[in-house]
Amino acid sequence: MELVEWHRPQVERIWRSGVDILAFETIPAQKEAEAIVAVLREFPDAKAWLSFSCQNDKQTCHGELFADAVKTLAASDQITGCGVNCSAPWHISSLLDSVPPIIKETKCILAYPNSGQVWIDSRWSDVDGNHSRPLHSYVDEWIERGVSWIGGCCQVTAKELEFVRKTIDKHISKSKQ
């Protein structure tokens, strides 16, 4: 319950300041998500979204299956959105494929990956050839998998987010035809 004790004062201060929604980002482990859900119950009017960071296309950074970690959020009406952030963009589609249908039906699904680079020896480095594919090139497949909130995390530039926005606009335009 250490995680509950750590999150409680953070949630209390932020929620009592008058925010509309809380964001729990880059959560590495299912156990921490469970602690956050427990703390939120103490603040019944609070709403939040929660995103996990993942080490590959199946697992959270702590090593649990992403699909299992996301299931811990299903019963909470206070969690309005869930997904993945600060993870390589080429892992996102597989992670989204593992999200149970009940989650996709009851929560906003979000994805805001990093650039795919990793922090090694005090600098950002490319470690995977997939990094050459631009972030915005993934947007259509994420939308097809139910994502409604798309953004960027570490090393994603404002210029790349412009391209993401344009890709979303094209997708919306096509769907209206």
Side-chain angles (χ1 to χ4, degrees):
M1 286 290 142
E2 263 182 61
L3 289 169
V4 169
E5 297 303 320
W6 188 89
H7 280 287
R8 182 181 292 120
Q10 316 304 321
V11 169
E12 182 172 19
R13 276 187 223 112
I14 295 169
W15 184 248
R16 299 221 189 281
S17 75
V19 299
D20 296 322
I21 191 166
L22 298 163
F24 295 95
E25 303 176 302
T26 321
I27 303 302
Q30 180 176 336
K31 185 176 179 179
E32 186 166 2
E34 292 166 354
I36 290 166
V37 169
V39 169
L40 285 173
R41 282 191 218 108
E42 298 174 24
F43 303 89
D45 295 331
K47 300 290 185 194
W49 82 70
L50 189 146
S51 58
F52 291 93
S53 58
C54 295
Q55 61 179 296
N56 56 38
D57 64 350
K58 290 182 179 36
Q59 297 172 296
T60 66
C61 285
H62 188 256
E64 301 94 358
L65 289 176
F66 175 73
D68 292 342
V70 170
K71 285 178 194 173
T72 65
L73 310 175
S76 175
D77 291 335
Q78 292 178 274
I79 301 289
T80 61
C82 64
V84 61
N85 81 301
C86 208
S87 303
W90 50 86
H91 295 316
I92 304 297
S93 292
S94 293
L95 292 163
L96 295 171
D97 287 343
S98 73
V99 174
I102 187 67
I103 299 290
K104 290 183 178 180
E105 294 164 9
T106 60
K107 314 282 183 207
C108 290
I109 305 300
L110 49 108
Y112 48 114
N114 59 32
S115 68
Q117 294 179 309
V118 295
W119 189 253
I120 300 174
D121 296 328
S122 302
R123 64 185 171 85
W124 290 102
S125 301
D126 294 331
V127 294
D128 193 313
N130 289 320
H131 181 66
S132 61
R133 185 174 167 194
L135 180 69
H136 70 275
S137 70
Y138 295 93
V139 168
D140 285 328
E141 62 191 69
W142 297 341
I143 292 172
E144 290 169 9
R145 287 166 169 81
V147 174
S148 55
W149 299 354
I150 298 174
C153 200
C154 300
Q155 296 301 104
V156 173
T157 66
K159 189 68 172 167
E160 183 59 36
L161 289 175
E162 276 184 55
F163 289 125
V164 167
R165 176 76 251 174
K166 288 177 184 175
T167 305
I168 292 169
D169 290 343
K170 285 179 190 173
H171 186 88
I172 291 169
S173 183
K174 279 186 210 172
S175 69
K176 288 182 179 179
Q177 294 176 354

